[in-house]
Amino acid sequence: SIRVPLVIVDPRMHKSQHGTRNDEFTLSIDLAPTILGAAKISPSSFMQGRDISKLYLPEKDSEPVRWRQDWFYEYNRGDPITAQGHKGTFWIDASFALITKEWK
């Protein structure tokens, strides 16, 4: 599956947040900026992910954070456009998808 649960334990999180669920899309590219943010280190400008803590550490007098509404998924071991030459050990077909909350 392309959807994997993520459990976060963050000492900065308010106890009222413990055990709660958030259905926003987080990706593996968000982990490094989140860990750097917890260490009070700014992520490099070339990093593509976002600090997930924005979803559970609300800032005072701020509007709710705007988060990604969709993302592109690709599993391809062949040509980047046509997937020709895609071969896998388990014979999983190449796939390209735009994932949204409505369509997956």
Side-chain angles (χ1 to χ4, degrees):
S1 175
I2 58 175
R3 294 196 67 184
V4 179
L6 173 64
V7 177
I8 296 176
V9 178
D10 187 331
R12 303 171 298 164
M13 184 185 291
H14 191 270
K15 290 187 190 261
S16 66
Q17 294 283 104
H18 292 191
T20 61
R21 181 180 172 157
N22 184 308
D23 290 324
E24 297 293 346
F25 289 131
T26 57
L27 304 174
S28 59
I29 60 173
D30 297 326
L31 295 177
T34 303
I35 293 167
L36 290 171
K40 297 185 181 352
I41 300 171
S42 297
S44 296
S45 61
F46 64 83
M47 297 178 101
Q48 297 179 16
R50 296 177 63 190
D51 186 343
I52 298 168
S53 72
K54 306 284 187 241
L55 297 172
Y56 60 85
L57 295 177
E59 296 181 19
K60 292 181 181 178
D61 303 323
S62 67
E63 294 184 23
V65 65
R66 292 177 51 101
W67 204 253
R68 66 178 60 91
Q69 299 299 305
D70 51 37
W71 54 281
F72 180 73
Y73 170 80
E74 176 181 9
Y75 177 70
N76 177 22
R77 302 177 83 176
D79 181 89
I81 305 297
T82 65
Q84 218 163 0
H86 172 86
K87 294 179 182 156
T89 306
F90 302 107
W91 302 102
I92 298 171
D93 290 337
S95 57
F96 305 87
L98 179 62
I99 310 297
T100 70
K101 296 206 178 194
E102 186 177 352
W103 301 95
K104 43 188 162 193

